[in-house]
Amino acid sequence: MNTPSRWLIFVLALGAGFSVAAIYYAQPLLPLMGQDLRLSLTGMGLVPTLTQAGYALGILFLLPLGDRYDRRKLILTKSAALALLLLACSFCGQLHSLLVISLLLGMAATMAQDIVPAAAILAPEGKQGKTVGTVMTGLLLGILLSRTVSGFIGETFGWREMYQLAAISVALTGGLLWKVLPPFAVHSTLSYPSLMVTMAHLWQRYPVLRRAALAQGFLSVAFSAFWSTLAIMLSDHYQMGSAAAGAFGIAGAAGALAAPLAGHLADRVGAQKVTQLGALLVTISFALMFLLPVLPVQGQWLLIAFSAVGFDLGLQSSLVAHQNLVYSLEPQARGRLNALLFTVVFIGMALGSVLGSQVYMLANWNGVVTLATLSGFIALTIRRLGKRQPVTQPAKV
């Protein structure tokens, strides 16, 4: 297989970034949305929770279609749906409609997870980790910089205008992907119900898959609990606006830039070691924030930014390595394997959002830090206790 061009990889990274960003724009905008729509803290917490729950549902029920249909067509369809939903979100006037659209928006945003396996398919043997890592850089920068962009635009122009700009960006990127992507071969002729049944078989067949999904899921709980409550904490404790909350996403983006390095490292020294190092870094980075009360205000801001760099670097490195492990199990079932991995990841994201807001109400920011540190430690324990087992020979699925 020929190595994909740098332009193609760049477009894939761009598409992954803009599409996944759609599920994170709301986080620094929650105070603005709450004020505009008169939402309670619980109501504000439900917005990212429903979006991430929709993403998990879309991954579970829509992503397997990538093994049955041309991914190029699926990407175009989802990009059109996502652009329309982002536009509809900007016109919401009450909580109920906002929550319904948030759920559907999360499902459509799974086009990002159609793009990542596409990169693995296009990459030559031995270069999959590096190629996936490069595309994941775009996806991860989309996750992190979305907060910076939405925080600034929301505070300057309004949260509704942010969603309208997001709709335009997704529509344009979807058209670009349609032009540059080649058609993809169909790897399965199974019916949709049969595809879903084989996913259960894949989950049962591969302990490697189960450990990867559970470990990354706990890391996602920590990640989501932090970012879902950061804007509220900064507003309560430091009287900072949405733009300031989004600015911390720049610090996290520095960690995301290491994704290609993590993929390259996984190709060289093994994905197992990279997952353990990533989980350890996440745990340590969150634990450092227990020092916040003993620091002056400026020192507290610096520590939060430093911790954001550390835990994002650890989480993204672990994610790229876990994908490398999972994609190698059965190349013809990458869509379903990816669906299983990311279903658990975004269940973790949704749990992190709802648990983070509840813990913040009960135990303030120190409670959120405790939740995140504990989640990181559980992920590290899963990786450390997981004994290396021989990979079962692939079944015909």
Side-chain angles (χ1 to χ4, degrees):
M1 181 183 293
N2 294 326
T3 302
S5 68
R6 291 183 179 180
W7 169 243
L8 177 56
I9 294 175
F10 171 76
V11 174
L12 288 170
L14 193 69
F18 274 120
S19 54
V20 79
I23 67 175
Y24 295 100
Y25 287 132
Q27 290 181 353
L29 299 175
L30 291 176
L32 294 176
M33 298 169 78
Q35 183 179 10
D36 184 21
L37 302 178
R38 298 180 181 178
L39 305 180
S40 65
L41 183 61
T42 300
M44 286 188 282
L46 283 174
V47 175
T49 299
L50 265 292
T51 306
Q52 288 156 359
Y55 200 77
L57 289 172
I59 286 171
L60 179 62
F61 292 108
L62 300 180
L63 221 58
L65 296 175
D67 292 333
R68 180 65 179 83
Y69 300 99
D70 183 355
R71 291 182 191 276
R72 184 168 174 263
K73 294 179 180 178
L74 291 174
I75 289 169
L76 177 67
T77 301
K78 288 184 179 180
S79 67
L82 181 57
L84 290 173
L85 286 164
L86 286 165
L87 186 62
C89 189
S90 72
F91 293 105
C92 286
Q94 56 183 344
L95 178 61
H96 296 301
S97 59
L98 179 62
L99 294 181
V100 171
I101 290 175
S102 294
L103 181 71
L104 296 175
L105 188 153
M107 296 182 73
T110 56
M111 68 174 278
Q113 297 304 329
D114 289 305
I115 291 172
V116 176
I121 292 170
L122 294 172
E125 192 68 29
K127 298 289 185 181
Q128 290 179 350
K130 183 178 180 180
T131 303
V132 169
T134 301
V135 174
M136 283 297 294
T137 298
L139 185 147
L140 301 172
L141 287 175
I143 292 174
L144 296 164
L145 293 182
S146 61
R147 300 180 177 93
T148 304
V149 172
S150 67
F152 174 77
I153 293 178
E155 192 165 287
T156 305
F157 301 103
W159 70 269
R160 298 179 187 275
E161 286 76 6
M162 178 61 243
Y163 276 94
Q164 291 163 8
L165 289 173
I168 295 171
S169 69
V170 169
L172 293 176
T173 307
L176 188 59
L177 283 165
W178 176 252
K179 292 187 67 174
V180 303
L181 278 176
F184 286 84
V186 175
H187 293 290
S188 176
T189 57
L190 294 174
S191 65
Y192 180 75
S194 297
L195 279 175
M196 300 305 294
V197 170
T198 63
M199 287 177 65
H201 295 162
L202 289 168
W203 180 262
Q204 294 172 358
R205 187 177 183 83
Y206 294 114
V208 171
L209 170 63
R210 296 195 296 272
R211 285 197 300 272
L214 291 174
Q216 197 66 43
F218 276 104
L219 293 178
S220 299
V221 170
F223 177 89
S224 185
F226 175 88
W227 287 113
S228 295
T229 56
L230 180 64
I232 298 170
M233 185 276 286
L234 293 176
S235 177
D236 289 346
H237 289 259
Y238 305 109
Q239 290 73 53
M240 289 182 173
S242 296
F248 280 94
I250 298 175
L257 291 174
L261 177 61
H264 180 67
L265 194 62
D267 289 334
R268 293 290 299 274
V269 303
Q272 300 275 7
K273 292 182 180 179
V274 177
T275 61
Q276 292 179 19
L277 291 172
L280 178 62
L281 184 55
V282 169
T283 305
I284 292 173
S285 298
F286 279 116
L288 285 174
M289 281 190 279
F290 285 117
L291 299 175
L292 287 174
V294 303
L295 297 175
V297 172
Q298 291 82 358
Q300 292 175 17
W301 298 341
L302 288 173
L303 180 56
I304 293 171
F306 179 78
S307 295
V309 173
F311 75 71
D312 274 317
L313 171 58
L315 182 136
Q316 314 309 353
S317 298
S318 182
L319 177 57
V320 170
H322 277 138
Q323 286 178 295
N324 209 30
L325 282 171
V326 169
Y327 288 166
S328 66
L329 295 175
E330 289 195 27
Q332 73 274 23
R334 283 196 180 107
R336 283 160 283 171
L337 290 167
N338 199 49
L340 289 165
L341 173 63
F342 276 91
T343 295
V344 179
V345 166
F346 278 88
I347 288 173
M349 289 285 190
L351 283 174
S353 291
V354 67
L355 289 176
S357 61
Q358 294 300 314
V359 168
Y360 183 80
M361 285 191 294
L362 293 172
N364 216 304
W365 184 245
N366 200 52
V368 175
V369 173
T370 301
L371 171 64
T373 304
L374 180 61
S375 297
F377 181 74
I378 293 172
L380 176 60
T381 302
I382 291 171
R383 292 308 329 173
R384 293 287 295 172
L385 294 181
K387 296 181 179 179
R388 191 168 185 175
Q389 300 178 8
V391 177
T392 307
Q393 288 297 316
K396 187 175 181 180
V397 293

PDB file of all heavy atoms in Angstrom, residues 325-345:
ATOM      1  N   LEU A 325      -3.108  -1.024  19.764  1.00  0.00           N
ATOM      2  CA  LEU A 325      -3.342  -2.390  20.223  1.00  0.00           C
ATOM      3  C   LEU A 325      -4.618  -2.974  19.625  1.00  0.00           C
ATOM      4  O   LEU A 325      -4.638  -4.110  19.131  1.00  0.00           O
ATOM      5  CB  LEU A 325      -3.453  -2.411  21.756  1.00  0.00           C
ATOM      6  CG  LEU A 325      -2.164  -2.328  22.581  1.00  0.00           C
ATOM      7  CD1 LEU A 325      -2.513  -2.145  24.054  1.00  0.00           C
ATOM      8  CD2 LEU A 325      -1.330  -3.579  22.387  1.00  0.00           C
ATOM      9  N   VAL A 326      -5.685  -2.199  19.675  1.00  0.00           N
ATOM     10  CA  VAL A 326      -6.996  -2.696  19.260  1.00  0.00           C
ATOM     11  C   VAL A 326      -7.084  -2.881  17.750  1.00  0.00           C
ATOM     12  O   VAL A 326      -7.612  -3.893  17.265  1.00  0.00           O
ATOM     13  CB  VAL A 326      -8.101  -1.735  19.770  1.00  0.00           C
ATOM     14  CG1 VAL A 326      -9.441  -2.073  19.147  1.00  0.00           C
ATOM     15  CG2 VAL A 326      -8.181  -1.806  21.293  1.00  0.00           C
ATOM     16  N   TYR A 327      -6.552  -1.936  16.969  1.00  0.00           N
ATOM     17  CA  TYR A 327      -6.645  -2.033  15.518  1.00  0.00           C
ATOM     18  C   TYR A 327      -5.874  -3.233  14.967  1.00  0.00           C
ATOM     19  O   TYR A 327      -6.162  -3.724  13.875  1.00  0.00           O
ATOM     20  CB  TYR A 327      -6.107  -0.758  14.852  1.00  0.00           C
ATOM     21  CG  TYR A 327      -6.996   0.458  15.015  1.00  0.00           C
ATOM     22  CD1 TYR A 327      -6.515   1.724  14.721  1.00  0.00           C
ATOM     23  CD2 TYR A 327      -8.305   0.344  15.449  1.00  0.00           C
ATOM     24  CE1 TYR A 327      -7.314   2.854  14.869  1.00  0.00           C
ATOM     25  CE2 TYR A 327      -9.105   1.459  15.600  1.00  0.00           C
ATOM     26  CZ  TYR A 327      -8.610   2.710  15.310  1.00  0.00           C
ATOM     27  OH  TYR A 327      -9.398   3.816  15.448  1.00  0.00           O
ATOM     28  N   SER A 328      -4.874  -3.696  15.706  1.00  0.00           N
ATOM     29  CA  SER A 328      -4.068  -4.820  15.222  1.00  0.00           C
ATOM     30  C   SER A 328      -4.735  -6.169  15.445  1.00  0.00           C
ATOM     31  O   SER A 328      -4.265  -7.180  14.933  1.00  0.00           O
ATOM     32  CB  SER A 328      -2.700  -4.810  15.923  1.00  0.00           C
ATOM     33  OG  SER A 328      -2.841  -5.066  17.314  1.00  0.00           O
ATOM     34  N   LEU A 329      -5.836  -6.201  16.185  1.00  0.00           N
ATOM     35  CA  LEU A 329      -6.469  -7.482  16.492  1.00  0.00           C
ATOM     36  C   LEU A 329      -7.100  -8.123  15.265  1.00  0.00           C
ATOM     37  O   LEU A 329      -6.853  -9.290  14.968  1.00  0.00           O
ATOM     38  CB  LEU A 329      -7.524  -7.287  17.592  1.00  0.00           C
ATOM     39  CG  LEU A 329      -7.000  -6.852  18.963  1.00  0.00           C
ATOM     40  CD1 LEU A 329      -8.156  -6.584  19.922  1.00  0.00           C
ATOM     41  CD2 LEU A 329      -6.059  -7.908  19.542  1.00  0.00           C
ATOM     42  N   GLU A 330      -7.942  -7.361  14.563  1.00  0.00           N
ATOM     43  CA  GLU A 330      -8.590  -7.856  13.345  1.00  0.00           C
ATOM     44  C   GLU A 330      -8.776  -6.694  12.380  1.00  0.00           C
ATOM     45  O   GLU A 330      -9.721  -5.915  12.526  1.00  0.00           O
ATOM     46  CB  GLU A 330      -9.949  -8.501  13.658  1.00  0.00           C
ATOM     47  CG  GLU A 330      -9.855  -9.830  14.372  1.00  0.00           C
ATOM     48  CD  GLU A 330     -11.160 -10.605  14.341  1.00  0.00           C
ATOM     49  OE1 GLU A 330     -11.947 -10.401  13.391  1.00  0.00           O
ATOM     50  OE2 GLU A 330     -11.388 -11.411  15.253  1.00  0.00           O
ATOM     51  N   PRO A 331      -7.878  -6.543  11.391  1.00  0.00           N
ATOM     52  CA  PRO A 331      -7.962  -5.400  10.471  1.00  0.00           C
ATOM     53  C   PRO A 331      -9.304  -5.287   9.757  1.00  0.00           C
ATOM     54  O   PRO A 331      -9.769  -4.185   9.491  1.00  0.00           O
ATOM     55  CB  PRO A 331      -6.818  -5.674   9.483  1.00  0.00           C
ATOM     56  CG  PRO A 331      -5.837  -6.485  10.272  1.00  0.00           C
ATOM     57  CD  PRO A 331      -6.661  -7.357  11.165  1.00  0.00           C
ATOM     58  N   GLN A 332      -9.951  -6.422   9.454  1.00  0.00           N
ATOM     59  CA  GLN A 332     -11.217  -6.368   8.717  1.00  0.00           C
ATOM     60  C   GLN A 332     -12.392  -5.972   9.612  1.00  0.00           C
ATOM     61  O   GLN A 332     -13.506  -5.783   9.121  1.00  0.00           O
ATOM     62  CB  GLN A 332     -11.504  -7.725   8.045  1.00  0.00           C
ATOM     63  CG  GLN A 332     -11.936  -8.829   8.996  1.00  0.00           C
ATOM     64  CD  GLN A 332     -10.766  -9.568   9.622  1.00  0.00           C
ATOM     65  OE1 GLN A 332      -9.655  -9.039   9.708  1.00  0.00           O
ATOM     66  NE2 GLN A 332     -11.007 -10.796  10.048  1.00  0.00           N
ATOM     67  N   ALA A 333     -12.154  -5.838  10.913  1.00  0.00           N
ATOM     68  CA  ALA A 333     -13.227  -5.472  11.845  1.00  0.00           C
ATOM     69  C   ALA A 333     -12.889  -4.190  12.595  1.00  0.00           C
ATOM     70  O   ALA A 333     -13.366  -3.974  13.703  1.00  0.00           O
ATOM     71  CB  ALA A 333     -13.470  -6.616  12.833  1.00  0.00           C
ATOM     72  N   ARG A 334     -12.085  -3.321  11.978  1.00  0.00           N
ATOM     73  CA  ARG A 334     -11.645  -2.115  12.682  1.00  0.00           C
ATOM     74  C   ARG A 334     -12.804  -1.218  13.094  1.00  0.00           C
ATOM     75  O   ARG A 334     -12.770  -0.582  14.135  1.00  0.00           O
ATOM     76  CB  ARG A 334     -10.668  -1.323  11.806  1.00  0.00           C
ATOM     77  CG  ARG A 334      -9.268  -1.911  11.775  1.00  0.00           C
ATOM     78  CD  ARG A 334      -8.271  -0.910  11.240  1.00  0.00           C
ATOM     79  NE  ARG A 334      -6.928  -1.473  11.211  1.00  0.00           N
ATOM     80  CZ  ARG A 334      -6.286  -1.836  10.111  1.00  0.00           C
ATOM     81  NH1 ARG A 334      -6.873  -1.708   8.935  1.00  0.00           N
ATOM     82  NH2 ARG A 334      -5.068  -2.322  10.171  1.00  0.00           N
ATOM     83  N   GLY A 335     -13.833  -1.133  12.256  1.00  0.00           N
ATOM     84  CA  GLY A 335     -14.971  -0.291  12.605  1.00  0.00           C
ATOM     85  C   GLY A 335     -15.638  -0.751  13.882  1.00  0.00           C
ATOM     86  O   GLY A 335     -15.958   0.046  14.760  1.00  0.00           O
ATOM     87  N   ARG A 336     -15.835  -2.060  14.010  1.00  0.00           N
ATOM     88  CA  ARG A 336     -16.488  -2.598  15.200  1.00  0.00           C
ATOM     89  C   ARG A 336     -15.573  -2.548  16.421  1.00  0.00           C
ATOM     90  O   ARG A 336     -16.021  -2.244  17.529  1.00  0.00           O
ATOM     91  CB  ARG A 336     -16.942  -4.035  14.923  1.00  0.00           C
ATOM     92  CG  ARG A 336     -18.205  -4.118  14.063  1.00  0.00           C
ATOM     93  CD  ARG A 336     -18.371  -5.471  13.409  1.00  0.00           C
ATOM     94  NE  ARG A 336     -17.469  -5.609  12.267  1.00  0.00           N
ATOM     95  CZ  ARG A 336     -17.266  -6.751  11.613  1.00  0.00           C
ATOM     96  NH1 ARG A 336     -17.880  -7.853  12.018  1.00  0.00           N
ATOM     97  NH2 ARG A 336     -16.461  -6.793  10.576  1.00  0.00           N
ATOM     98  N   LEU A 337     -14.288  -2.830  16.225  1.00  0.00           N
ATOM     99  CA  LEU A 337     -13.338  -2.733  17.330  1.00  0.00           C
ATOM    100  C   LEU A 337     -13.242  -1.291  17.837  1.00  0.00           C
ATOM    101  O   LEU A 337     -13.212  -1.043  19.047  1.00  0.00           O
ATOM    102  CB  LEU A 337     -11.960  -3.222  16.874  1.00  0.00           C
ATOM    103  CG  LEU A 337     -11.838  -4.724  16.606  1.00  0.00           C
ATOM    104  CD1 LEU A 337     -10.538  -5.025  15.863  1.00  0.00           C
ATOM    105  CD2 LEU A 337     -11.909  -5.521  17.901  1.00  0.00           C
ATOM    106  N   ASN A 338     -13.204  -0.357  16.911  1.00  0.00           N
ATOM    107  CA  ASN A 338     -13.170   1.056  17.286  1.00  0.00           C
ATOM    108  C   ASN A 338     -14.447   1.458  18.010  1.00  0.00           C
ATOM    109  O   ASN A 338     -14.428   2.239  18.964  1.00  0.00           O
ATOM    110  CB  ASN A 338     -12.980   1.910  16.030  1.00  0.00           C
ATOM    111  CG  ASN A 338     -12.472   3.308  16.347  1.00  0.00           C
ATOM    112  OD1 ASN A 338     -11.509   3.476  17.088  1.00  0.00           O
ATOM    113  ND2 ASN A 338     -13.115   4.312  15.778  1.00  0.00           N
ATOM    114  N   ALA A 339     -15.574   0.907  17.559  1.00  0.00           N
ATOM    115  CA  ALA A 339     -16.854   1.204  18.205  1.00  0.00           C
ATOM    116  C   ALA A 339     -16.853   0.735  19.652  1.00  0.00           C
ATOM    117  O   ALA A 339     -17.301   1.447  20.555  1.00  0.00           O
ATOM    118  CB  ALA A 339     -17.992   0.539  17.434  1.00  0.00           C
ATOM    119  N   LEU A 340     -16.349  -0.456  19.890  1.00  0.00           N
ATOM    120  CA  LEU A 340     -16.321  -0.986  21.250  1.00  0.00           C
ATOM    121  C   LEU A 340     -15.390  -0.170  22.148  1.00  0.00           C
ATOM    122  O   LEU A 340     -15.747   0.176  23.279  1.00  0.00           O
ATOM    123  CB  LEU A 340     -15.874  -2.450  21.218  1.00  0.00           C
ATOM    124  CG  LEU A 340     -16.897  -3.429  20.625  1.00  0.00           C
ATOM    125  CD1 LEU A 340     -16.238  -4.764  20.300  1.00  0.00           C
ATOM    126  CD2 LEU A 340     -18.062  -3.632  21.581  1.00  0.00           C
ATOM    127  N   LEU A 341     -14.205   0.145  21.631  1.00  0.00           N
ATOM    128  CA  LEU A 341     -13.249   0.934  22.414  1.00  0.00           C
ATOM    129  C   LEU A 341     -13.841   2.288  22.787  1.00  0.00           C
ATOM    130  O   LEU A 341     -13.835   2.689  23.959  1.00  0.00           O
ATOM    131  CB  LEU A 341     -11.957   1.114  21.617  1.00  0.00           C
ATOM    132  CG  LEU A 341     -10.914   2.071  22.225  1.00  0.00           C
ATOM    133  CD1 LEU A 341     -10.415   1.546  23.559  1.00  0.00           C
ATOM    134  CD2 LEU A 341      -9.746   2.285  21.251  1.00  0.00           C
ATOM    135  N   PHE A 342     -14.376   3.000  21.809  1.00  0.00           N
ATOM    136  CA  PHE A 342     -14.814   4.367  22.066  1.00  0.00           C
ATOM    137  C   PHE A 342     -16.195   4.450  22.708  1.00  0.00           C
ATOM    138  O   PHE A 342     -16.539   5.485  23.281  1.00  0.00           O
ATOM    139  CB  PHE A 342     -14.749   5.193  20.778  1.00  0.00           C
ATOM    140  CG  PHE A 342     -13.380   5.746  20.535  1.00  0.00           C
ATOM    141  CD1 PHE A 342     -12.459   5.033  19.791  1.00  0.00           C
ATOM    142  CD2 PHE A 342     -12.988   6.949  21.082  1.00  0.00           C
ATOM    143  CE1 PHE A 342     -11.180   5.514  19.579  1.00  0.00           C
ATOM    144  CE2 PHE A 342     -11.719   7.454  20.884  1.00  0.00           C
ATOM    145  CZ  PHE A 342     -10.808   6.727  20.130  1.00  0.00           C
ATOM    146  N   THR A 343     -16.975   3.383  22.635  1.00  0.00           N
ATOM    147  CA  THR A 343     -18.214   3.372  23.409  1.00  0.00           C
ATOM    148  C   THR A 343     -17.888   3.455  24.898  1.00  0.00           C
ATOM    149  O   THR A 343     -18.466   4.262  25.640  1.00  0.00           O
ATOM    150  CB  THR A 343     -19.027   2.095  23.133  1.00  0.00           C
ATOM    151  OG1 THR A 343     -19.456   2.089  21.767  1.00  0.00           O
ATOM    152  CG2 THR A 343     -20.257   2.036  24.026  1.00  0.00           C
ATOM    153  N   VAL A 344     -16.923   2.656  25.325  1.00  0.00           N
ATOM    154  CA  VAL A 344     -16.526   2.684  26.736  1.00  0.00           C
ATOM    155  C   VAL A 344     -15.853   4.012  27.077  1.00  0.00           C
ATOM    156  O   VAL A 344     -16.088   4.584  28.146  1.00  0.00           O
ATOM    157  CB  VAL A 344     -15.592   1.497  27.055  1.00  0.00           C
ATOM    158  CG1 VAL A 344     -15.152   1.543  28.516  1.00  0.00           C
ATOM    159  CG2 VAL A 344     -16.299   0.179  26.765  1.00  0.00           C
ATOM    160  N   VAL A 345     -15.037   4.531  26.163  1.00  0.00           N
ATOM    161  CA  VAL A 345     -14.369   5.813  26.393  1.00  0.00           C
ATOM    162  C   VAL A 345     -15.388   6.916  26.646  1.00  0.00           C
ATOM    163  O   VAL A 345     -15.260   7.706  27.589  1.00  0.00           O
ATOM    164  CB  VAL A 345     -13.466   6.181  25.198  1.00  0.00           C
ATOM    165  CG1 VAL A 345     -13.039   7.652  25.264  1.00  0.00           C
ATOM    166  CG2 VAL A 345     -12.222   5.293  25.175  1.00  0.00           C
TER     167      VAL A 345
END
